[in-house]
Amino acid sequence: MTQLSKYEAMIVKSGSKLTKQRKQILKVIVDHSDEHFSAETLYDLVRHIDSSIGIATVYRTLELFEKLKIIRNVKIKNDGVNYYDVIDLDEQNHFHHHLICTTCNRIIEIADELESYEAFIKEKYGFNVTDHDLTLYGTCASCQ
């Protein structure tokens, strides 16, 4: 079963309709799963496939997909724009983090090296970490 068909099954299982527009938006999201996207970026990509899809449909679909845990809102820039990325169903509980170059705005994803620190927090404070965001700002190797 492909990732796309798994996401489609999640939509149907939730009781939501798998409309033509949702399928098209989902396909674009999956095809660009290695990127972070805003609603406007997604809209620009989708309207090349189907110009009848409106920006409101994209926003509503993103809201549904976030609720179904197909995508997640990631805080990667302080520009007032919501960015999203796809949740890999094989690694649903895996957190990843971002390095953002303040010179070229390149976004580099890094794997979760904080798992041992989360275990330390659990042991020392009795606190179970269920979610977190980490974004580090600096200068990438290319811009140095």
Side-chain angles (χ1 to χ4, degrees):
M1 184 177 246
T2 66
Q3 285 283 3
L4 181 62
S5 58
K6 288 178 185 178
Y7 295 127
E8 289 175 346
M10 288 172 65
I11 295 167
V12 171
K13 187 178 177 182
S14 76
S16 299
K17 292 181 181 175
L18 185 58
T19 64
K20 176 185 166 189
Q21 292 87 357
R22 287 179 181 165
K23 284 180 86 163
Q24 290 171 324
I25 292 169
L26 182 62
K27 181 168 182 355
V28 169
I29 289 172
V30 170
D31 288 348
H32 295 271
S33 62
D34 59 335
E35 301 171 26
H36 298 91
F37 56 89
S38 66
E40 293 77 14
T41 305
L42 181 59
Y43 172 66
D44 288 340
L45 293 169
V46 169
R47 73 177 181 179
H48 291 301
I49 297 167
D50 185 348
S51 61
S52 71
I53 295 177
I55 188 73
T57 300
V58 171
Y59 276 106
R60 285 191 303 269
T61 302
L62 286 173
E63 187 177 314
L64 172 66
F65 289 178
E66 189 174 8
K67 178 180 162 190
L68 297 177
K69 300 200 183 308
I70 294 171
I71 60 171
R72 76 179 127 233
N73 187 334
V74 291
K75 293 154 186 68
I76 55 175
K77 296 182 183 178
N78 291 326
D79 59 2
V81 176
N82 288 325
Y83 292 91
Y84 301 89
D85 69 6
V86 178
I87 297 175
D88 185 336
L89 296 176
D90 297 328
E91 298 181 18
Q92 192 160 359
N93 294 322
H94 176 78
F95 303 119
H96 69 271
H97 311 291
H98 303 96
L99 306 175
I100 299 179
C101 178
T102 55
T103 304
C104 69
N105 292 320
R106 179 176 172 213
I107 300 169
I108 303 165
E109 288 192 8
I110 57 175
D112 189 350
E113 284 86 8
L114 296 178
E115 288 178 11
S116 61
Y117 192 63
E118 290 175 12
F120 167 78
I121 290 170
K122 174 75 172 169
E123 184 177 317
K124 182 168 182 170
Y125 300 103
F127 187 85
N128 187 32
V129 177
T130 58
D131 194 7
H132 64 265
D133 293 313
L134 177 65
T135 304
L136 302 171
Y137 299 90
T139 308
C140 70
S142 299
C143 292
Q144 290 179 18

